[in-house]
């Protein structure tokens, strides 16, 4: 919708009445002849990652005014990972729809979106991609490092580490309480290379966030300067007519994937980047991630796959410094939100040799391959993923017997049963926790080590599921197995005692059961009956969500030509099933 589009069947009357009601804000007609910039303010006292953004919104407004625009703040849904049930991923698509509709429905020329907690930023980029009005992403920034008895703490990698130690009995009640007080010491999102930091890094690499935006901590003065500059930049984009589709090209998505691999980023970014790209009619597949994983070195020594946190990366030059190292393998001619190309943005970036343990040189990386690997086999015909650098090396080639949990509830009920038939060599399998099955594909993939094994000193096992895990999590965890169990994927056919073989080097994930036996099990399989989340939005979600390898967007939110392709695919599958 343009600012002049009619709402009442009479364009002149629509403008007349709109101006009459706008005067309440103190504006006159001349203010609305300037670029009108909507600021999508997702402030929330419940979503703690967004609780501190009010001053940043004011700084963005200043920047808009300084560049000759008129800023107008508006709200959309705000969801935070720790405070949203059953999972924020269930609501990512709802945030994307809300963002898109408010951008298109309201009389604004461009938008600055305030992201933060890890599903908000990708949802906003999805909405901005579909709306395709000039837009930039700005996040609240990562927290400062936490500290406890001389140890640097990172939320929420250390949430998981110390809770596991507490369950194992090596950390007592008093100590776990003291650690809890220090895990999240300031405003901002998680300060390790979790999902929030990863999607911010990818957004900066794509040009949808200004240089420096991803790594600057929430508490730094620089964050306020970046907010003001983002306000100025969006006005310039409006005046130049530069839209998200001009910035988020296929080549810029490949830049983002290479950045993801170089920083050892969150597995969740795989789903999000596929979904954002598809909103623009751009096809990004797991094969692209695998190709870039094989050819992009791991450069940023970041937790949970490395040693440092976002505050340290900021001092080392942030994502701009990482991109500078990657420059020889990036598409440098891609347009960015500065109005310049990526190469132009990086021209004056220098990397201080003092910080070389944080950002390694391209020719002397931490690892020669990237941070995420894509696996395939009869267990995951459409793919599964793993973070090898956050796993236990000796488990990356493993063969073990399955211990199967058929749902999240089943896992919660039996995982710590003293009589559970499980050994350190077992492969823990979680079924029916995917996009449809859960619903919403929660971050339950880091299946807890059974208590009796924790007490024996076991700290990692091969774990396999059709759900996700937090970008802050770690371990030998196989995720996003597609198709998921709830729609008939082979993962749903696994039984206790089946042998499973994993070989990350060869990218193999196999269920060592004969084709004949699997066919027999498939003939007896029936879809699960959902007794929860079966009305309203969750029902819409279950009916419409795509699989993990397709980005988990709604089928009806794709570009029109892709919606038709999805319908033809469903008809083909349905016809084959009936035969």
């Amino acid at each position: 919708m343009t600012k002049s589009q009619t709402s009442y069947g009479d364009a002149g009357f629509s403008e007349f009445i709109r101006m009459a009601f706008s005067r309440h804000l103190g504006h006159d007609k001349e203010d609305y002849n300037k670029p009108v910039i909507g600021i999508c303010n997702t402030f929330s006292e419940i979503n703690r990652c967004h609780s501190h953004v009010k001053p940043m919104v004011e700084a963005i407004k200043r920047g808009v005014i300084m560049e000759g625009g008129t800023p107008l703040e508006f709200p959309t849904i705000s969801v935070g990972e720790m405070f949203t049930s059953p999972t924020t991923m269930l609501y990512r698509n709802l945030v994307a729809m809300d963002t898109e509709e408010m951008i298109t429905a309201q009389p604004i020329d461009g938008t600055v979106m305030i992201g933060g907690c890890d599903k908000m930023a990708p949802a906003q980029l999805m909405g901005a991609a579909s709306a395709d009005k000039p837009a930039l992403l700005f996040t609240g920034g990562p927290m400062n490092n936490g500290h406890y008895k001389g140890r640097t703490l990172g939320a929420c990698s250390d949430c998981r580490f110390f809770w596991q130690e507490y369950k194992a009995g090596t950390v007592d009640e008093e100590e776990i309480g003291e650690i809890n007080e220090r895990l999240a010491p300031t405003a901002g999102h998680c300060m390790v290379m979790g999902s929030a930091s990863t999607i911010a890094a990818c957004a900066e690499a794509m040009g949808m966030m200004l240089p420096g935006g991803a790594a600057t901590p929430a508490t730094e003065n620089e964050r306020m300067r970046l907010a003001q500059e983002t306000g100025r930049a969006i006005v310039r984009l409006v005046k130049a007519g530069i839209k998200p589709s001009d910035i988020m090209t296929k080549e810029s998505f490949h830049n983002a994937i290479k950045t993801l691999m170089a920083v050892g980023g969150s597995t969740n970014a795989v789903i999000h980047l596929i979904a954002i790209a598809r909103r623009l009619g751009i096809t990004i597949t797991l094969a692209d991630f695998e190709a870039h994983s094989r050819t992009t070195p791991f450069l940023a020594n970041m937790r949970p796959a490395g040693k440092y946190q976002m505050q340290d990366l900021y001092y080392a030059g942030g994502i701009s410094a990482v991109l500078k190292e990657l420059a020889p393998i990036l598409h440098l001619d891609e347009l960015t939100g500065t109005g310049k190309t990526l190469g132009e943005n990086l021209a004056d970036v220098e990397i201080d040799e003092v910080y070389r343990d944080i950002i390694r040189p391209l020719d002397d990386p931490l690892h020669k391959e990237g941070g995420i690997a894509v696996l395939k086999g009869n267990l995951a015909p459409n793919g599964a993923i793993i973070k090898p650098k956050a796993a236990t090396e000796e488990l990356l080639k493993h063969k073990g017997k399955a211990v199967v949990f058929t749902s999240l509830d089943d896992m919660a009920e039996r995982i710590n049963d003293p009589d559970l038939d499980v050994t350190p060599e077992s492969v823990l399998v979680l079924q029916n926790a995917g996009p449809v099955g859960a619903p919403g594909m929660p971050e339950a993939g880091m299946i807890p080590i059974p208590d009796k094994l924790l007490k024996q000193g076991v700290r990692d096992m091969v774990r396999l599921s059709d759900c996700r895990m937090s970008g802050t999590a770690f371990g030998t965890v196989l995720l996003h197995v597609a198709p998921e169990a709830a729609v008939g994927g082979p993962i749903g056919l696994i039984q206790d005692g089946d042998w499973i073989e994993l070989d990350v080097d060869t990218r193999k994930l196999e269920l060592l059961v004969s084709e004949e036996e699997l066919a027999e099990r498939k003939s007896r399989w029936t879809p699960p009956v959902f007794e929860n989340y079966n009305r309203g939005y969750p029902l819409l979600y279950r009916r419409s969500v795509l699989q993990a390898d397709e980005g988990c967007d709604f089928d009806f939110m794709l570009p029109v030509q892709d919606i038709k392709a999805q319908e033809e695919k469903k008809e083909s599958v349905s016809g084959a099933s009936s035969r």
Side-chain angles (χ1 to χ4, degrees):
M1 176 184 279
T2 64
K3 283 192 293 184
S4 61
Q5 186 169 338
T6 180
S7 301
Y8 298 97
D10 181 329
F13 177 68
S14 295
E15 295 235 0
F16 172 77
I17 194 171
R18 185 176 293 146
M19 192 64 244
F21 277 76
S22 296
R23 292 185 189 279
H24 164 73
L25 299 173
H27 294 299
D28 59 28
K29 191 169 185 178
E30 182 58 32
D31 293 325
Y32 290 91
N33 291 330
K34 301 173 183 178
V36 176
I37 305 301
I39 301 173
C40 178
N41 182 359
T42 53
F43 165 80
S44 168
E45 291 183 341
I46 295 176
N47 179 2
R48 61 90 59 207
C49 297
H50 292 229
S51 64
H52 63 299
V53 301
K54 286 181 177 180
M56 298 176 193
V57 171
E58 294 306 313
I60 293 169
K61 288 181 179 180
R62 287 198 306 272
V64 170
I65 293 168
M66 291 166 68
E67 202 66 28
T70 298
L72 296 175
E73 185 181 333
F74 68 93
T76 60
I77 298 167
S78 182
V79 294
E81 189 63 53
M82 272 66 73
F83 305 99
T84 304
S85 296
T87 171
T88 54
M89 188 62 179
L90 178 64
Y91 299 104
R92 184 202 66 176
N93 295 348
L94 187 60
V95 176
M97 292 170 71
D98 188 8
T99 302
E100 175 187 347
E101 294 304 324
M102 289 301 96
I103 291 174
T104 57
Q106 298 180 128
I108 54 180
D109 298 303
T111 311
V112 175
M113 304 168 295
I114 309 295
C117 200
D118 55 357
K119 304 310 176 295
M120 291 299 298
Q124 291 173 321
L125 290 171
M126 290 164 67
S130 293
D132 208 25
K133 282 185 183 179
L136 286 173
L137 179 69
F138 183 82
T139 67
M143 285 183 265
N144 287 19
N145 292 341
H147 294 277
Y148 179 72
K149 292 185 177 180
R151 173 175 178 151
T152 298
L153 296 181
C156 227
S157 296
D158 283 314
C159 306
R160 292 172 168 80
F161 174 82
F162 282 107
W163 187 254
Q164 186 166 269
E165 293 305 310
Y166 171 67
K167 289 177 63 183
T170 64
V171 171
D172 63 25
E173 193 81 34
E174 181 180 358
E175 190 172 17
I176 197 70
E178 292 173 352
I179 292 166
N180 184 272
E181 293 174 2
R182 293 165 173 78
L183 280 167
T186 72
H189 60 68
C190 291
M191 67 288 250
V192 298
M193 190 55 76
S195 298
S197 296
T198 300
I199 200 67
C202 290
E204 186 174 330
M206 283 194 293
M208 286 297 291
M209 181 186 291
L210 295 190
T216 304
T219 57
E220 287 284 335
N221 295 340
E222 173 68 3
R223 188 114 221 129
M224 297 299 286
R225 188 199 67 79
L226 283 167
Q228 182 172 289
E229 181 56 30
T230 299
R232 301 190 70 167
I234 188 61
V235 176
R236 294 194 290 265
L237 292 184
V238 168
K239 290 178 177 178
I242 297 173
K243 306 184 298 296
S245 58
D246 299 315
I247 296 173
M248 291 192 286
T249 64
K250 186 159 191 171
E251 288 73 22
S252 74
F253 277 102
H254 284 285
N255 286 342
I257 295 171
K258 292 173 184 179
T259 303
L260 167 66
M261 296 302 168
V263 301
S266 168
T267 50
N268 288 294
V270 176
I271 292 176
H272 298 321
L273 289 173
I274 291 172
I276 298 163
R278 294 190 73 168
R279 288 293 187 100
L280 292 161
I282 296 171
T283 301
I284 298 291
T285 69
L286 291 183
D288 295 307
F289 289 88
E290 173 59 17
H292 291 312
S293 176
R294 291 293 197 182
T295 58
T296 305
F298 194 133
L299 302 181
N301 193 1
M302 301 294 294
R303 296 185 70 193
K307 180 177 176 184
Y308 297 99
Q309 303 190 156
M310 293 302 289
Q311 187 175 0
D312 309 301
L313 182 64
Y314 167 67
Y315 295 137
I319 294 302
S320 292
V322 175
L323 294 173
K324 182 73 171 185
E325 262 317 317
L326 288 173
I329 63 172
L330 296 177
H331 300 281
L332 298 177
D333 293 333
E334 296 310 297
L335 188 63
T336 72
T338 64
K340 300 177 182 179
T341 66
L342 178 60
E344 289 172 328
N345 290 346
L346 297 176
D348 296 327
V349 174
E350 296 181 0
I351 304 173
D352 192 327
E353 294 301 314
V354 171
Y355 296 105
R356 276 305 189 186
D357 194 42
I358 301 174
I359 302 174
R360 301 295 305 160
L362 190 65
D363 59 0
D364 184 23
L366 286 166
H367 307 281
K368 68 177 183 178
E369 293 187 358
I372 295 174
V374 177
L375 310 172
K376 286 201 172 183
N378 69 343
L379 201 159
N382 292 352
I385 60 177
I386 187 174
K387 286 178 73 170
K389 309 306 184 292
T392 302
E393 188 171 356
E394 53 265 33
L395 291 177
L396 295 178
K397 187 178 179 68
H398 182 78
K399 189 184 293 185
K401 288 185 177 182
V403 176
V404 180
F405 302 100
T406 59
S407 67
L408 291 161
D409 289 342
D410 181 42
M411 181 180 73
E413 184 177 336
R414 295 195 298 118
I415 189 71
N416 293 319
D417 185 341
D419 296 327
L420 183 69
D421 186 9
V422 63
T423 71
E425 292 73 36
S426 299
V427 176
L428 303 180
V429 178
L430 174 60
Q431 301 169 330
N432 297 302
V436 174
M441 206 180 180
E443 293 184 343
M446 189 182 173
I447 301 169
I449 305 296
D451 279 357
K452 67 179 181 181
L453 296 184
L454 279 176
K455 291 182 169 78
Q456 295 172 21
V458 177
R459 292 297 182 269
D460 194 13
M461 298 173 67
V462 175
R463 288 161 275 181
L464 183 153
S465 71
D466 48 14
C467 61
R468 302 175 300 111
M469 76 174 182
S470 168
T472 67
F474 49 86
T476 312
V477 183
L478 304 156
L479 304 154
H480 307 186
V481 172
E484 65 173 302
V487 300
I491 184 175
L493 305 180
I494 302 173
Q495 297 180 0
D496 283 332
D498 287 346
W499 285 92
I500 293 172
E501 183 177 9
L502 166 68
D503 190 333
V504 174
D505 280 346
T506 62
R507 302 300 199 252
K508 181 170 71 173
L509 180 60
E510 291 284 335
L511 177 60
L512 303 182
V513 174
S514 70
E515 291 185 15
E516 293 77 15
E517 172 64 17
L518 287 177
E520 170 61 24
R521 293 182 189 180
K522 180 69 174 177
S523 70
R524 292 185 275 108
W525 179 83
T526 56
V529 177
F530 300 118
E531 297 180 354
N532 62 346
Y533 302 105
N534 56 9
R535 59 169 295 279
Y537 174 76
L539 179 60
L540 172 68
Y541 187 97
R542 275 187 158 134
R543 287 176 174 174
S544 305
V545 71
L546 300 170
Q547 288 294 289
D549 61 303
E550 300 173 302
C552 293
D553 200 357
F554 289 148
D555 53 14
F556 60 82
M557 293 305 296
L558 302 178
V560 173
Q561 65 272 20
D562 290 340
I563 291 176
K564 291 179 179 178
Q566 282 292 329
E567 290 173 348
E568 291 171 0
K569 179 181 175 182
K570 285 183 178 179
E571 289 175 4
S572 175
V573 171
S574 175
S577 299
S578 64
R579 289 193 296 273

